[in-house]
Amino acid sequence: QSALTQPASVSGSPGQSITISCTGTSSDVGNYNYVSWYQQHPGKAPKLIIYEVSKRPSGVSNRFSGSKSGNTASLTISGLQAEDEADYYCSSYTSSSTRVFGTGTKVTVL
Amino acid sequence: QVQLQESGPGLVKPSQTLSLTCTVSGGSISSGSYYWSWIRQPAGKGLEWIGRIYTSGSTNYNPSLKSRVTISLDTSKNQFSLKLSSVTAADTAVYYCAREVVVVAATQTYYFDYWGQGTLVTVSS
């Protein structure tokens, strides 16, 4: 199975909004609403920030939002803050009952 | 509060078998609402799903690793384990165990909500 495709890096100034894309196929992202997003700070374990495409776990800032269109899911961070600087990964359920992660995106706050 | 903790050798010789255990506290590994998963991350690279096990013992593995991977469950110790055989330098990575939610309020779902801190395994002679 191939990793989902994400841009290697995205940057923005404090207060701005950025969007990270996650492109898969009809065997994963396109056919299931089981896309989740994870934030990973250096040396730390990933943290769940979005599940089922657009739902936020309790305690996660509402500045994080998710959506999906066709084979591409997206994560938007609004009101960018210095603490949002991290790596972000999408993940999807697949038609083979396996899981696949995205290639990862490094978010830089300018 | 659920916690997961990986344990095992930090150094494995090439061609040998990597063995790791994940101890779960704050919740039962026998719950039917979760899968128990292994995920790895080579230094400076992305996350790779290795596989998962359900309380029934059923497993699913990453096709690229399937021939070398075995995940098992020990409900008496509230632990699950990973074995990866015939390792090479390419298997050097931080290995995470994680809990995957599969049922919420009788509704199917899939996401990883709790992760261990990760353990670095280096394959070298």
Side-chain angles (χ1 to χ4, degrees):
Chain A
Q1 59 191 25
S2 298
L4 307 175
T5 301
Q6 298 180 229
S9 62
V10 173
S11 62
S13 299
Q16 287 187 330
S17 292
I18 61 170
T19 296
I20 301 168
S21 61
C22 168
T23 301
T25 68
S26 58
S27 295
D28 39 64
V29 175
N31 207 28
Y32 302 98
N33 287 326
Y34 300 131
V35 176
S36 49
W37 289 88
Y38 303 86
Q39 176 191 61
Q40 186 181 35
H41 286 108
K44 299 295 186 181
K47 172 191 173 185
L48 175 71
I49 55 173
I50 294 287
Y51 66 100
E52 292 180 13
V53 176
S54 60
K55 296 180 180 179
R56 273 188 315 276
S58 174
V60 172
S61 172
N62 59 8
R63 298 185 298 104
F64 294 95
S65 61
S67 62
K68 190 185 86 167
S69 178
N71 293 339
T72 299
S74 298
L75 172 71
T76 297
I77 308 175
S78 57
L80 199 61
Q81 299 180 0
E83 67 205 49
D84 300 331
E85 189 160 290
D87 294 326
Y88 292 82
Y89 294 92
C90 59
S91 179
S92 176
Y93 177 88
T94 80
S95 58
S96 304
S97 296
T98 61
R99 311 293 182 264
V100 63
F101 284 97
T103 51
T105 298
K106 181 177 180 59
V107 169
T108 300
V109 180
L110 301 172
Chain B
Q1 176 77 347
V2 174
Q3 292 186 318
L4 292 82
Q5 178 67 57
E6 306 90 350
S7 59
L11 181 64
V12 182
K13 289 181 168 37
S15 80
Q16 294 191 340
T17 296
L18 177 161
S19 296
L20 295 174
T21 295
C22 182
T23 301
V24 180
S25 59
S28 173
I29 204 168
S30 298
S31 169
S33 299
Y34 310 109
Y35 287 152
W36 303 95
S37 305
W38 288 97
I39 295 155
R40 70 180 183 178
Q41 184 174 37
K45 296 189 178 181
L47 300 169
E48 180 180 33
W49 181 78
I50 298 172
R52 60 85 175 161
I53 189 165
Y54 189 54
T55 183
S56 63
S58 69
T59 54
N60 276 99
Y61 300 130
N62 186 321
S64 67
L65 299 170
K66 188 174 183 177
S67 64
R68 300 193 292 130
V69 175
T70 302
I71 297 176
S72 59
L73 206 58
D74 187 339
T75 55
S76 66
K77 295 181 179 179
N78 224 35
Q79 297 176 334
F80 62 106
S81 298
L82 168 71
K83 290 189 185 301
L84 181 65
S85 64
S86 305
V87 296
T88 69
D91 296 309
T92 294
V94 173
Y95 285 75
Y96 294 100
C97 57
R99 187 179 84 168
E100 183 178 22
V101 182
V102 298
V103 174
V104 175
T107 301
Q108 186 179 42
T109 188
Y110 299 101
Y111 55 89
F112 302 101
D113 63 344
Y114 286 99
W115 297 64
Q117 64 186 25
T119 188
L120 174 63
V121 178
T122 301
V123 178
S124 174
S125 55

